[in-house]
Amino acid sequence: MPSQSATSAREILTGLHDVMASKASAQAKLNKVVKIIAEAMASEVCSIYLLRDGVLELFATVGLNQEAVHVTKLAMGEGLVGTIARHAAILNLAEASSHPEFAFRPETGEELFHSFAGVPVIRKERAIGVLAVQHADPRAYDELEIEALQTVAMVMSELIANAGLADKASAAGEGRAEGTQHLTGLRLVTGMGKGNAVYHQPRVLIEHTVAEDIEAERHRVYSAFSKMREQIDAMMGQAEFGTVGEHQEVLETYKMFAYDEGWSRRINEAIDSGLTAEAAIERVRQRMQQRMRQIDDALLADRMHDLDDLSNRLLRIVSGQLGTAAQAGMPQDAILIARNLGPAELLEYDRRKLKGVILEEGSLTAHVTIVARAMGVPMIGRIGNVRRAIAEGDLVLLDGGEATALVRPTSAIEEAFDTQFAATQKRRAEYAAAKDKPAVTKDGARVSVMVNAGLRDDVAALDATGADGIGLFRTEFQFLVSATLPRREAQQRLYRAVLDAAGKKPVIFRTVDVGGDKSLPYLNASPENEENPAMGWRALRLALDRDTLMKSQARALLEAAAGRELQVMFPMVSEPWEFDAAKKIVEEQRAWLAERKKALPARILYGAMLEVPSLAELLDILLPKVDFLSIGTNDLTQFLFAADRSNPRLAERYDWLSPAILRFLRRIVRAADKYGVPIGVCGEMGGRTLEAMALIGIGVRRLSITPVAVGPIKAMIRSLDAKAATAALDRLLARPPEDFRGALAKWAARRGVSMA
Ligand code: PEP
Ligand code: MG
């Protein structure tokens, strides 16, 4: 049976429905609305204030003096109405004048009324107005009356927005309850960016709030719940092999809420009061948010946040608004906000419009971070409750290097940011001007500084940075951005374009590295659930088992490099025989082409990635076979430390500048030197100045790094004495201090090594 609140709200909503459907002017409609509410609630006064030009204006009233309409205005935070709007919170007072914020407005004649209840009218999470009732008797309104008032306010927001009466809720900063917010998270990709917040999964805009057919709305919610539960169950299954961004713990909570009967019951009650399915979900969500504001418990706030997330998911399902912001079209300067993203999801965005990314989760070596780095998009992670802190449309100043985001800045803050931004641009310009200076240390050691790439446009980085070549071309990026398996011709076209653009500079193509957190929906790469995807059936393991993919890629590479040099390397080689097997596939394709008298590469160089520790024990067997070796520190360190590179909890736990890693790497470098095999580092570690200095200290002479790091790394190299660095590293590694990083940084500072 519908509750009492449902019946009283329903009575009002039926009236409102007719008003909204009528052809009257917006003002006439509002006049009618206040009348309906006042009658239904037996209230002596009912008034609507709307936010216009930043102030709350009395738009319609019964009970107060009509002369006050469009005359009485209150600033945000001023009086009871302004307080409600500022905090988007309810006020329920038996004696209005005793509230500290009460502001008496003689023109209204409100001195006759003692009790006051007001609720915010919310649009896109911001108050765009206030709906208030007043009585002469001092009385507090009961919960049911407040509930009815809120339901009505929700319907009003539709009417107001459709008529364009109030300030647009999306206008940055306006009508926003909080002022500037300073958020600090985890540094993922350095760089600065300025733009307006865009949710990866946009908030659903509710078009219709009043139900035409309550049974039909109930049914819609019912099927949306089933669909959502199905989705969550599927995600729980997939999460075990890491194909979705969300983590297990979050999903557990999701599941708990998705099956929570209390939640679905409350939504159904809201539908009974006359709301559409969307409006009912939103209504319940708002109510929860209000409760949340009153409870100061971080844990509970987190749970509520999950429920909020889930409400949005349910809303998306019920309204059919399922696309991401990438599909919906983005504004010019956007800062993307998401809980987490997969690499393919990020690649869907137009990098020219994307000025930054803020994630609630995120870790340094997760592939989405690498993709962001490749796209040159600053990114920070680990910002809790990001959707509460940043609303859609908010202006955000992002500093990836400092791992900070300034939300809704004042103009003074914005100016300071712009100045700093200009300074970094200037520094970039200086790096660009120095791009042709070779990366030679003060004592004459030449370091080859190459870039990591994966997209066609990345090749432009070669010229822009003056890098020595592409040390890692992640061929799987083409597979990740494609909805279907890229054909051999498409692969060949990309490789040829890359080689053409690189000209004389070398390019090292890495064969497809999928699996782990780079899943391809069309490949069905992990038929069984893997408990440990990073250590699972991925990269070369998958490629050798399913060699059709590898064969076709090998052919594409050989054809693209006809008449030129082809450098190819294999990911995740764990034992030398895997290198042999992979090389054999390429050689067979070469023979096939040769038989048919097709043009062949002038020379082929074969390399292996060293990213699985077992291979380091078999270097005496491997090294004589390979033309070069490339250390993938992202994977290598996760395996060395048994610390999942995608797990945000472990993001700050292990340091690349740890003696274990550096000693391990030094051993590999020394072995390669002994065999005369060129060796480089292509993990993210090499793109950080202090880390790169340490790598040079242990003997590394080839780095392949993210393009934006080339300038600072070259500057570091040119200010470094390599022999002195080696001596320092030997000393520190012999007796590692507790704070290895600190000791190394101090050494660099003493020696005047550039650490920009
Ligand atoms: C690595 O593991 O260090 C590496 C360069 O490869 P990826 O990050 O693509 O796994
Ligand atoms: Mg790797």
Side-chain angles (χ1 to χ4, degrees), residues 164-233:
L165 289 176
D167 291 344
K168 273 212 170 53
S170 64
E174 280 178 84
R176 178 73 191 172
E178 308 98 277
T180 301
Q181 229 180 326
H182 188 116
L183 307 172
T184 307
L186 174 69
R187 177 171 84 162
L188 295 177
V189 180
T190 56
M192 297 172 87
K194 173 175 167 180
N196 294 106
V198 170
Y199 286 177
H200 171 59
Q201 299 195 326
R203 276 234 175 270
V204 169
L205 253 194
I206 298 167
E207 310 273 353
H208 298 291
T209 48
V210 182
E212 302 262 345
D213 176 348
I214 292 202
E215 262 323 295
E217 297 302 324
R218 269 176 165 269
H219 188 73
R220 289 179 66 218
V221 156
Y222 179 81
S223 33
F225 259 102
S226 322
K227 204 174 215 170
M228 182 179 70
R229 288 169 183 166
E230 255 169 46
Q231 278 183 1
I232 307 251
D233 291 344

Side-chain angles (χ1 to χ4, degrees), residues 459 462-463 468-470 495-507 563-565:
V459 185
L462 278 180
D463 268 352
D468 295 311
I470 296 176
Y495 307 150
R496 180 166 287 143
V498 170
L499 287 167
D500 286 349
K504 288 204 163 52
K505 291 184 177 176
V507 179
R564 313 187 247 208
E565 177 181 278

